[in-house]
Every structure is written in C-alpha cells, then in structure tokens.
Amino acid sequence: MTIQVLDKKFQPYITAQAIHEQIVKLAGQINNDYAGKKPLFIAILNGSFMFASDLFKELTIEAEICFIKLASYKGTKSTGNVITSIGLDEPLKNRHVIIVEDIVDTGKTLYEFLPQLVNQQPSSLKIAALLHKPDALVHPLTIDYLGFNVPNKFLLGYGLDYDGLGRNLKEIYQLVEE
Ligand code: IMP
Ligand code: MG
C-alpha cells in the first residue's frame, strides 16, 4: 500500500521479513569471522539505530557497540557536508572495528569519517551496511557486510527518514516519483 509522508508518496520496497532474513545472514558471517575477537561495532546515528539493534541481537559472539552521530542529509538530497555532532569516546587502538551504516549512498559520510578511525590504529576496520546505492557512489568504498544493493532512488523506513519522519516503519519504502 502506498503511504504519504509530508508532501511525498512512498511504495513498499523491501519487506520486514526480507530485511530480517538478510540480517540473520550478515550476523552469521560476522559470528564466523569475529569469533574470539570481541569486535567493537560503531553505529552511525540516526539512521542505523534499527539495523544496528537487529544485527546486534543476532550476534552470538562477544561484542561491544557504541554510537556516534554524523549527518550529511537534509530532505531528500545530500548536502555534501559531513557534520560530526556526537564524538567517539571509545579507544580503537588494537580493536577490531565494524562500522554500522543504514545506507551508503554517495559514500561521502564514510569517506570523510574513516580516516579519523584509521588514525587510531584499529587492528581491523570493516563496514556493515544494510543498503547501498552503487549508482550514487562518488567515493570508492568496500562494504564488507552488505544487506541489499538498491537503485538510486530515495528510500524511507526501518530507520531511514524523510525530514525526520518515517523511521518507525518496519518495511523499507521507495519514493514514488510523479
Ligand atoms: P552518503 O554520505 O551519501 O553515503 O549518505 C549517507 C547517509 O545519508 C546515510 O547514512 C543516510 O542517513 C542518508 N541517506 C542516504 N540515502 C538515503 C535515502 O534513500 N533515504 C534516507 N536517508 C538516506
Ligand atoms: Mg546514516
């Protein structure tokens, strides 16, 4: 069913069931790859809160999680400026770090932010993202644990917002272009 949020219409795109199944798979890979390594997950707020929480619940290994806030979006367009509003207070030296993102779009956010993490000399640094828009990618990035590749269209729900709204939706919706 099509839904309306503010001035825009969105149609169902990825079901809650498909999201769940994909997260179980990703968690399975992480459980294998990080057994005995006690990885530190760094989830990027706001968008990733739901994905981070559902992914973290599926882990069976010892793991830690912390949250930071970076933002580059206003409305449905990337502003191109990465703003850090909540800093990172965990020491990363000699830690196995996994960044958790809701969606990698232009890649700008992570491209600007990753050097700050690399500076702290983690033992390893990987990226987990639920969604990726390969056609929008400007900065080359390798996503180590990816849920879904999606077309370059604005998405909503499951943590993703349109001007602050829609994060609570259990499914992922796609903008209906008129
Ligand atoms: P990037 O820096 O262009 O890769 O954008 C990353 C951030 O922009 C993501 O973490 C999201 O918070 C936001 N974003 C990108 N695409 C969408 C979308 O389709 N819907 C909602 N937010 C998005
Ligand atoms: Mg985000």
Side-chain angles (χ1 to χ4, degrees):
M1 210 186 57
T2 302
I3 57 162
Q4 174 100 26
V5 176
L6 300 173
D7 59 335
K8 303 220 184 295
K9 287 193 171 64
F10 295 87
Q11 63 194 17
Y13 182 60
I14 307 176
T15 64
Q17 179 64 26
I19 296 168
H20 176 71
E21 283 169 11
Q22 203 57 27
I23 288 175
V24 168
K25 272 191 211 159
L26 296 181
Q29 291 168 17
I30 293 171
N31 285 330
N32 273 324
D33 296 349
Y34 288 86
K37 292 185 172 167
K38 210 192 328 163
L40 172 64
F41 288 76
I42 302 179
I44 303 186
L45 296 171
N46 295 325
S48 76
F49 75 98
M50 216 175 265
F51 172 48
S53 150
D54 284 348
L55 182 68
F56 205 68
K57 275 186 278 186
E58 298 300 329
L59 298 178
T60 52
I61 54 169
E62 265 194 315
E64 294 179 358
I65 189 164
C66 68
F67 296 85
I68 58 159
K69 188 162 180 176
L70 308 171
S72 72
Y73 250 69
K74 205 169 168 53
T76 58
K77 295 262 166 3
S78 178
T79 62
N81 301 316
V82 178
I83 307 144
T84 312
S85 24
I86 301 174
L88 179 66
D89 36 24
E90 290 294 320
L92 303 185
K93 196 168 166 66
N94 302 328
R95 295 297 308 265
H96 292 282
V97 173
I98 304 173
I99 307 292
V100 183
E101 256 289 34
D102 48 357
I103 180 162
V104 176
D105 183 15
T106 63
K108 172 108 180 152
T109 308
L110 289 183
Y111 180 82
E112 303 256 316
F113 179 57
L114 287 178
Q116 292 182 41
L117 300 185
V118 171
N119 269 346
Q120 293 197 41
Q121 300 175 300
S123 304
S124 67
L125 182 58
K126 302 257 161 146
I127 300 170
L130 181 64
L131 302 158
H132 175 39
K133 295 178 185 168
D135 294 342
L137 196 68
V138 175
H139 300 284
L141 274 182
T142 305
I143 302 172
D144 305 281
Y145 301 99
L146 175 64
F148 303 91
N149 272 315
V150 295
N152 193 6
K153 291 196 179 163
F154 191 77
L155 300 176
L156 180 77
Y158 197 74
L160 297 167
D161 71 306
Y162 170 48
D163 274 348
L165 296 179
R167 294 193 195 276
N168 52 310
L169 296 164
K170 292 189 181 73
E171 301 83 27
I172 293 171
Y173 287 76
Q174 191 178 61
L175 178 67
V176 178
E177 285 163 49
E178 290 168 354

